[in-house]
Amino acid sequence: MAPQSLPSSRMAPLGMLLGLLMAACFTFCLSHQNLEFALTNPEKSSTKETERKETKAEEELDAEVLEVFHPTHEWQALQPGQAVPAGSHVRLNLQTGEREAKLQYEDKFRNNLKGKRLDINTNTYTSQDLKSALAKFKEGAEMESSKEDKARQAEVKRLFRPIEELKKDFDELNVVIETDMQIMVRLINKFNSSSSSLEEKIAALFDLEYYVHQMDNAQDLLSFGGLQVVINGLNSTEPLVKEYAAFVLGAAFSSNPKVQVEAIEGGALQKLLVILATEQPLTAKKKVLFALCSLLRHFPYAQRQFLKLGGLQVLRTLVQEKGTEVLAVRVVTLLYDLVTEKMFAEEEAELTQEMSPEKLQQYRQVHLLPGLWEQGWCEITAHLLALPEHDAREKVLQTLGVLLTTCRDRYRQDPQLGRTLASLQAEYQVLASLELQDGEDEGYFQELLGSVNSLLKELR
């Protein structure tokens, strides 16, 4: 059956009631509408609003006046523009949207502020107060630095004493602090004293040799006349005095041109050659030969005087004596050094042009190679190749190589030299092969074998 409809008299009041309800709902929605967004977090919205207010308040705050915040051990809210002391703990309270601060570490905060609090009677800092505070901080740092320096100086004074106090104490103990110069003067006086015993003189020369190794000390020895005293010691009748005097001179001459010049003028070269030419103990001749080598090396003027005084004849007689094989090797080494020194000097002058013309002229006046040829050193050097020591053979082979241009014809006419070289070639081939088996690609005996092969090739 069909539904029955409501009478029109009842529909009119119901429509009015529905219209009133809709109007009320629309009005309520308009009154509670959020201008930013319908789903905004109320807590975040309030935080943003608070920050806007604080920023605006801070912009309006006078930059010259800062309100002081006094932190405690409890969280306190910060007002806009308040200055927070260093060492405080600051946080943002998300519930209230306010910034809060308190003391972070009580002991550390007190230590930081101890002795550095500003003497102020107000709750504000001005720009002048801040400048004053910075100045006081700097003064405090300087005071601490000054205290550290004073403490360091006090520690140095505790560990070390002034030289004046040490001298005073040494004077009381009868101990004298001497410079090298004073020591050398004392040693020369002891050596030159007629009242000194032979042992005291030898001890003085032995100690003096230690000091004249230094170039400055050797020149100081020259300055007060000590060098000439030692040179005169070469005339002593005591072989030990000659030996140790030559020992001192060899140390003083070494690479010291100023001392070398004074030694030549003082007659040292003649005295050294006389000792080598006369009968003396082997130990004395070793020291004298050492002094002669130190005097001649890198000193072309002395080399020329050596040739004029018959130095090559003296050395030839020396190496031909029985029992002087050790001296013979040293003589051959000296000759090798003198020949190569002149060669290198001439090559350097041609390539670099840095050598002084005077020194180059002095080297050109040293006619060493013709003198060696005339005095028979070609044969003497070749016969020394029969020495049994490998080190001696090495030095002789080097000298034969530099004399090859001058002595080539005599080497070819010497059958003993050919046999010696062939024997050495066979010996060093075996030793060199053993080195190769041990993994040595550039061994000592391979170098010696190369020198022997080179000489044999040149003499064919």
Side-chain angles (χ1 to χ4, degrees), residues 59-72:
E59 292 176 354
E60 295 176 356
L61 186 66
D62 186 2
E64 292 292 330
V65 181
L66 300 175
E67 184 179 356
V68 180
F69 175 79
H70 299 284
T72 62

Side-chain angles (χ1 to χ4, degrees), residues 69-90:
F69 175 79
H70 299 284
T72 62
H73 304 300
E74 302 295 335
W75 289 107
Q76 300 182 62
L78 285 173
Q79 300 300 323
Q82 282 187 318
V84 182
S88 301
H89 188 186
V90 181

Side-chain angles (χ1 to χ4, degrees), residues 256-444:
N256 203 329
K258 186 176 181 180
V259 179
Q260 288 175 323
V261 171
E262 294 295 330
I264 287 292
E265 295 179 355
L269 181 59
Q270 294 90 328
K271 292 179 173 60
L272 292 172
L273 291 176
V274 168
I275 296 175
L276 291 175
T278 57
E279 188 173 349
Q280 301 290 338
L282 182 61
T283 55
K285 288 191 174 183
K286 284 182 180 179
K287 295 294 192 300
V288 171
L289 184 59
F290 162 66
L292 179 65
C293 295
S294 299
L295 181 60
L296 296 181
R297 285 190 174 98
H298 305 291
F299 191 12
Y301 178 77
Q303 296 172 18
R304 186 155 58 94
Q305 295 301 314
F306 168 76
L307 295 177
K308 286 183 178 181
L309 293 172
L312 289 179
Q313 294 92 319
V314 173
L315 296 182
R316 182 184 63 184
T317 303
L318 180 64
V319 299
Q320 289 177 338
E321 294 178 0
K322 292 183 179 181
T324 59
E325 290 79 6
V326 176
L327 297 180
V329 175
R330 297 184 182 185
V331 169
V332 168
T333 304
L334 171 63
L335 297 178
Y336 171 80
D337 291 342
L338 296 181
V339 172
T340 54
E341 179 185 319
K342 181 181 178 180
M343 293 170 54
F344 292 152
E346 293 176 347
E347 291 177 1
E348 181 183 358
E350 293 178 0
L351 295 176
T352 63
Q353 297 181 351
E354 294 180 355
M355 180 173 294
S356 64
E358 181 181 357
K359 191 170 184 179
L360 179 60
Q361 184 63 26
Q362 290 180 356
Y363 272 116
R364 288 175 176 172
Q365 293 175 356
V366 179
H367 305 296
L368 180 59
L369 288 175
L372 293 172
W373 188 87
E374 293 175 0
Q375 296 295 327
W377 280 96
C378 298
E379 294 82 3
I380 294 173
T381 308
H383 294 163
L384 291 175
L385 197 58
L387 292 172
E389 295 82 7
H390 297 296
D391 181 65
R393 293 174 181 175
E394 177 187 12
K395 292 179 171 59
V396 174
L397 286 171
Q398 290 176 344
T399 308
L400 290 174
V402 298
L403 296 178
L404 186 61
T405 303
T406 303
C407 301
R408 186 187 303 271
D409 294 336
R410 293 195 177 184
Y411 288 165
R412 287 175 175 172
Q413 296 172 3
D414 188 350
Q416 183 180 352
L417 176 60
R419 290 192 297 269
T420 304
L421 288 174
S423 175
L424 292 178
Q425 184 184 42
E427 179 182 353
Y428 289 135
Q429 281 176 348
V430 175
L431 295 174
S433 63
L434 293 176
E435 285 182 335
L436 291 175
Q437 291 177 6
D438 294 337
E440 298 183 25
D441 295 334
E442 297 180 357
Y444 175 69

Side-chain angles (χ1 to χ4, degrees), residues 5-18:
S5 61
L6 293 177
S8 60
S9 60
R10 292 186 180 181
M11 289 293 294
L14 184 58
M16 292 180 62
L17 179 60
L18 182 60

Side-chain angles (χ1 to χ4, degrees), residues 35-97:
L35 296 179
E36 292 183 0
F37 194 75
L39 298 178
T40 301
N41 189 330
E43 183 177 355
K44 292 185 179 179
S45 300
S46 61
T47 301
K48 291 182 180 180
E49 184 67 17
T50 303
E51 291 179 353
R52 284 197 297 270
K53 292 179 180 179
E54 289 178 356
T55 302
K56 184 177 180 180
E58 289 174 358
E59 292 176 354
E60 295 176 356
L61 186 66
D62 186 2
E64 292 292 330
V65 181
L66 300 175
E67 184 179 356
V68 180
F69 175 79
H70 299 284
T72 62
H73 304 300
E74 302 295 335
W75 289 107
Q76 300 182 62
L78 285 173
Q79 300 300 323
Q82 282 187 318
V84 182
S88 301
H89 188 186
V90 181
R91 73 174 184 181
L92 177 64
N93 193 329
L94 298 179
Q95 295 181 352
T96 62

Side-chain angles (χ1 to χ4, degrees), residues 28 40 70 107-108 120 123 170 192 194 222 300 435 437 441 456:
F28 179 82
T40 301
H70 299 284
D107 294 338
K108 182 177 179 180
I120 55 176
N123 292 331
F170 285 143
N192 202 32
S194 58
L222 171 65
E435 285 182 335
Q437 291 177 6
D441 295 334
L456 288 172

